[in-house]
Every structure is written in structure tokens, then in C-alpha cells.
Amino acid sequence: MKPDTTPAQNRPKTYRVKSFGCQMNVYDGERMAELLAEKGITEAPEGEDADLVVLNTCHIREKAAEKIYSDIGRLTKGKIQKKVPMIAVAGCVAQAEGEEIMKRAPAVSMVVGPQAYHRLPDMLDKAVQGERVTDTDMPAIAKFNALPQRKRRTPSAFLTVQEGCDKFCTYCVVPYTRGAEISRPYNDLLDEARKLIEAGAREITLLGQNVNAWSGENETGRTVGLAGLIHSLARLDGLERIRYTTSHPNDMDDALIAAHGEVAKLMPYLHLPVQAGNDRVLKAMNRSHTAQSYLRLLERFREARPDIALSGDFIVGFPGETEAEFEDTLSLVDEVRYAQAYSFKYSPRPGTPAATMDNQIAKEVMEDRLQRLQDRLNRDQLAFNQASVGKTCDVLVERKGKHEGQWLGKSPWLQSVWFEDEAQLGDLVAVELAEAGPNSLRGVVREVATV
Ligand code: SAH
Ligand code: SF4
Ligand code: F3S
């Protein structure tokens, strides 16, 4: 008897979207939620069962990708919610493994790729008739044009400006799951930004797999890069903060570096992945920058904005990485002193060149390297936070804290700050940073910010 795995066929009244990936995946999750809401389906309140569950997946590492099958299993066995919902699989695993998901998981009704989710409502119409539907087309711009107006009400909002990747780093699935690099048109972005501000956003983070590869024509017909877009957004009343992520070292231009010294609303924070500190490894990764050219870039950012907080991504245990080559990564970290960073064990991804390279590194070696790298990154993050103590800066209030009267927000350097005082969501509060931990700081409200 297998009644549990038959796709649900009633038109769903409530939905839940679970996003597992990067910020662009979160953005896509928000847009799918808006689409479903427009169809009259409401978000299931926390703790209550949803009729439709959208699993918005990530394919970047094996662990992230495998999670999807265990989640489907738990949903169909009633371990996540009492009622077995209709299940849609979206995101980058959907793109990479569309048909395989349909074969492996009979309980899934819809599989929709990251460039096709504007068609979710039509797919739903078919799914309620009992059809199982897959759509992994890649018409990126068509998607944006077909989406409803933004309604999201949060002080800090995401705005996807660029999608896809042409870089083909040898370890990475993104060029295959997200397709070629495209830039959304300038006017569409200003319109979406205005809608987000009207709905209450005071900070906008511009998103792209290679966000600094964005280019477009501004209102005078001139081609501008990301810096041009940032200058235009900075002129919008009501918007107080601008951020952007993730950049690639090779797409960096003078105007963007200069913008950090010119645009007060552009926050002093840069996420610039390096992946490794050794040039042979970087070449094998097809990164097309060297450790030196990367360090030189960071220097220029520090010249433009001396207090800029630096962040990066690292992979340890890329095929063939020797102990000495790994130590070059540690040296690079010692030189940069990151405010914050992400680091990962290399994970072989099907279809990528690195997955079939010789000299795959043993798991224990990777674990040891990751631990040693993270020890240094944690040391530097704590030191950065400690060096901020005594500064008074604006904190954008984003959430209530766990305790009555407690608020959580972000400093200009993207540190999490909590404080206790009168405040409202979306306020920019002048806060003195009083005490530093590894992951957050305690603040005390002051009259005016000095930074
Ligand atoms: N476009 C960005 C980020 C892409 S994915 C960039 O170019 O840097 C986010 C991070 O995941 C990458 O920076 C990389 O550090 C990590 N990553 C990507 N593929 C991976 C893999 N196969 N194994 C381990 N980490 C990986
Ligand atoms: Fe992946 Fe490299 Fe593209 Fe980043 S630049 S998304 S790591 S292929
Ligand atoms: Fe993951 Fe896709 Fe983002 S693979 S990191 S959700 S682009």
C-alpha cells in the first residue's frame, strides 16, 4: 500500500516556501510566494500544515542537494507536518535533476527550474488535475517580466539585478543551473526598487551570481555598470542603504571601487570570493585571477573606503591541493584579515570538470584543513568585532529579539547588533557598539551616529 506517495490533487489553499540556497535562491522564494499569493493561496502560519510545500533547493554542494530527498521523504511520512502536502521542487536541484526527481520521488507534483518559476500558477492548474509537470526552460528575462509587482514589506530587501554565470570555475554547477550571464534592464530595476521602498524597504541588496558584471542603459541612453546603477539608486528618497553581492574579481571596475568613496548610502562592505591563495590551484579552478591580483584589488577598495569590511569564500581540498598550497590560503587570510567569511570542503559536482580530476583529496585531510582555516577566520572575525567596540553607528532595525524590548539589526559593516530600547522595525538607530562576541555585538542607543 502506497497511498502516501500519491500526489495531492485538491487545489491548495495554503502554501509554504522553504529556501535552502544563496540569497538569489531566497529572492526566488519570495517571488514564488508572491505569485502564489496572487492566485489567492495564502501563506500557512508558522507551526500549521500547508497544502502546498515548495522546496526551493540548492545544488552547490552534495549535502545541500541530497537534503531534498530526505525532506521529501519526511514530508510524505508525516514527519514535518501532519497532512501530506502537494510538493513542488524548485531551485537549482530542480534545474539539474528535473526528470530524475520525478522518477525518484513519486510524491512530487511539480519540478520547476529557477528561470521558469513564473509559470508556477499554470503548472499548479495541471497538478490539481493529477498531472505531474516539469518546467526547466531558461528564459531569464521573460520570467522577470511575467512576475507580479513586489509587495514584500521588510526593512532590508533583496533585488536580483543579474543572473547566471559565464565563468565556468571547474568545481561549480552554477553556470549549468542558472545559465548564461544576463543583466536585467536598468528601468525595470529602478521600478522594482521604488516598489520595494514604497513597501517599506530602507536597505536594498543588489544580487547576482556575478553582480558586478551587471551593465545596462540608463535614462540618457548611456551604458553604465553596477556603479552607475548604485549612483542612480542612491538618489531615491527613502532608501538609506545599498549593498551588493556576489562579485567576481575579474569584473571589478574603477567606477565601482570609487563608488565606495563617493556614495554615502553604499555600505562599507565587500564580499569578494577568492577560493584559494595559491596560483596553481586558482588556475586549476579556472578562476583567472592570482592571489596577488586579488590582494591588489582589496588594497584599492581599502584606499577608497578605509573602514571597509571584507568578506570572502574559500574552498579547501580542491583536487591536487598540497599541504604547501593550502598554507598559501592561510597566508592570504593572514594578510587580508577578513571581517567575515565562508569556507567549504570541496564537493565534487556531477558534470563539472573538477569532479573527474585526478588526486581527489581524502575527506579527513579536507576536514583538517577546513578546521585550521576556520580557526583563523573566526579569530579575525572576533578581532574585527572587538575593534568596532566604542564606535557609534547607525543600526537598521530588522527584527525583534528573543527577549521583550530587544531588537536586532545590522551595522554598516553587516555585523549583527542587538540592543534594548524603544524602537520600531525599519528605524535607523544610532547605537554605540559596547560589547563584541564572535557573531554579534551588544549595542547601547545614543543620540547621533558618528560613523
Ligand atoms: N558567484 C560566486 C559564488 C558562487 S557559489 C563566486 O563566483 O564566487 C558560493 C560559493 O560556494 C563559492 O564562492 C564557493 O566558495 C562555493 N562552492 C561552489 N562550488 C563548490 C563546490 N563544488 N564545492 C565546495 N564549495 C563550492
Ligand atoms: Fe560558480 Fe565561478 Fe560562476 Fe562563481 S564565478 S558562480 S564560483 S562558476
Ligand atoms: Fe545554490 Fe543555485 Fe544559489 S546552486 S548557491 S541556489 S545559484
Side-chain angles (χ1 to χ4, degrees):
M1 197 181 90
K2 299 204 306 182
D4 277 346
T5 55
T6 313
Q9 282 179 23
N10 293 333
R11 178 162 279 282
K13 294 191 185 64
T14 59
Y15 72 83
R16 173 165 301 121
V17 179
K18 290 177 70 183
S19 294
F20 299 97
C22 60
Q23 284 146 319
M24 298 191 67
N25 172 267
V26 172
Y27 173 90
D28 293 342
E30 290 170 2
R31 310 273 356 222
M32 284 188 271
E34 287 166 348
L35 267 172
L36 295 171
E38 196 159 75
K39 278 274 164 187
I41 308 174
T42 53
E43 184 169 9
E46 238 187 86
E48 285 181 29
D49 284 5
D51 301 332
L52 167 67
V53 171
V54 181
L55 299 171
N56 190 21
T57 59
C58 175
H59 201 236
I60 201 83
R61 283 168 291 275
E62 193 179 359
K63 251 199 195 145
E66 274 304 310
K67 192 171 161 22
I68 174 76
Y69 293 105
S70 66
D71 270 17
I72 295 167
R74 288 169 62 227
L75 274 171
T76 52
K77 288 190 187 109
K79 289 194 176 155
I80 295 181
Q81 54 177 54
K82 282 185 233 74
K83 182 175 61 187
V84 176
M86 179 183 271
I87 302 172
V89 177
C92 290
V93 181
Q95 189 66 41
E97 296 184 2
E99 286 309 320
E100 198 188 327
I101 297 171
M102 280 301 192
K103 272 194 228 128
R104 245 176 101 173
V108 172
S109 301
M110 290 170 274
V111 169
V112 61
Q115 309 300 16
Y117 62 76
H118 55 296
R119 297 198 281 243
L120 197 55
D122 293 340
M123 295 173 73
L124 188 59
D125 288 341
K126 292 184 184 151
V128 294
Q129 306 295 328
E131 233 183 279
R132 302 179 72 214
V133 233
T134 303
D135 191 340
T136 50
D137 261 11
M138 283 201 161
I141 289 289
K143 167 184 76 184
F144 290 110
N145 293 340
L147 290 171
Q149 294 282 12
R150 297 306 312 264
K151 295 194 188 68
R152 198 169 165 82
R153 296 172 183 280
T154 48
S156 179
F158 288 148
L159 172 55
T160 292
V161 304
Q162 181 279 343
E163 279 214 65
C165 182
D166 301 337
K167 305 287 187 295
F168 290 93
C169 300
T170 52
Y171 51 80
C172 184
V173 290
V174 171
Y176 312 98
T177 62
R178 292 272 169 172
E181 283 179 12
I182 61 111
S183 293
R184 291 181 65 193
Y186 174 93
N187 285 332
D188 293 5
L189 296 173
L190 281 163
D191 282 349
E192 192 168 325
R194 283 191 200 98
K195 292 284 172 331
L196 287 167
I197 297 163
E198 273 165 33
R202 304 199 76 191
E203 171 177 280
I204 292 183
T205 302
L206 308 176
L207 299 180
Q209 269 92 22
N210 288 284
V211 71
N212 58 338
W214 183 87
S215 77
E217 253 181 42
N218 70 8
E219 53 276 272
T220 64
R222 204 160 65 87
T223 300
V224 293
L226 191 67
L229 180 64
I230 288 171
H231 278 281
S232 300
L233 289 170
R235 287 193 284 273
L236 298 179
D237 287 337
L239 182 64
E240 304 297 339
R241 290 179 161 192
I242 302 169
R243 301 181 186 276
Y244 62 94
T245 200
T246 295
S247 300
H248 191 287
N250 279 32
D251 290 322
M252 219 35 113
D253 64 13
D254 296 348
L256 188 56
I257 298 173
H260 277 274
E262 295 162 356
V263 183
K265 291 182 183 180
L266 182 59
M267 290 295 101
Y269 183 91
L270 174 70
H271 180 66
L272 193 64
V274 64
Q275 315 299 357
N278 174 272
D279 289 347
R280 192 205 62 82
V281 175
L282 286 169
K283 194 148 189 264
M285 287 176 161
N286 194 28
R287 284 296 292 182
S288 58
H289 57 80
T290 61
Q292 272 314 315
S293 68
Y294 174 84
L295 289 169
R296 174 70 197 121
L297 253 184
L298 294 189
E299 233 172 80
R300 294 183 61 208
F301 273 91
R302 278 185 164 144
E303 279 158 19
R305 181 77 205 228
D307 68 335
I308 198 160
L310 298 172
S311 165
D313 289 350
F314 296 87
I315 296 177
V316 301
F318 184 81
E321 183 189 67
T322 64
E323 171 61 23
E325 287 169 343
F326 167 68
E327 283 170 15
D328 287 344
T329 300
L330 295 179
S331 307
L332 182 133
V333 167
D334 285 347
E335 192 157 343
V336 175
R337 302 278 165 164
Y338 289 93
Q340 196 257 347
Y342 302 90
S343 47
F344 313 98
K345 280 180 280 186
Y346 166 71
S347 171
R349 309 306 298 126
T352 60
T356 50
M357 283 180 186
D358 294 337
N359 300 322
Q360 300 281 325
I361 304 293
K363 198 165 142 257
E364 306 75 63
V365 176
M366 284 206 251
E367 270 158 15
D368 171 65
R369 289 182 187 167
L370 186 65
Q371 190 57 52
R372 286 152 66 202
L373 174 60
Q374 289 186 341
D375 286 348
R376 298 217 187 181
L377 293 170
N378 292 341
R379 169 201 71 187
D380 293 348
Q381 182 168 329
L382 180 62
F384 183 86
N385 288 347
Q386 284 169 339
S388 312
V389 170
K391 285 185 185 169
T392 301
C393 62
D394 279 338
V395 167
L396 177 64
V397 180
E398 293 180 25
R399 281 189 291 134
K400 281 189 173 160
K402 275 197 208 114
H403 305 291
E404 185 68 25
Q406 197 183 64
W407 295 97
L408 295 173
K410 293 275 166 43
S411 76
W413 308 281
L414 208 65
Q415 296 149 299
S416 292
V417 179
W418 63 272
F419 65 89
E420 280 165 3
D421 213 313
E422 293 280 302
Q424 285 191 349
L425 286 183
D427 280 354
L428 273 171
V429 180
V431 166
E432 182 178 331
L433 302 175
E435 203 182 330
N439 299 314
S440 64
L441 293 110
R442 181 174 66 83
V444 178
V445 175
R446 295 282 180 248
E447 288 295 304
V448 259
T450 49
V451 201

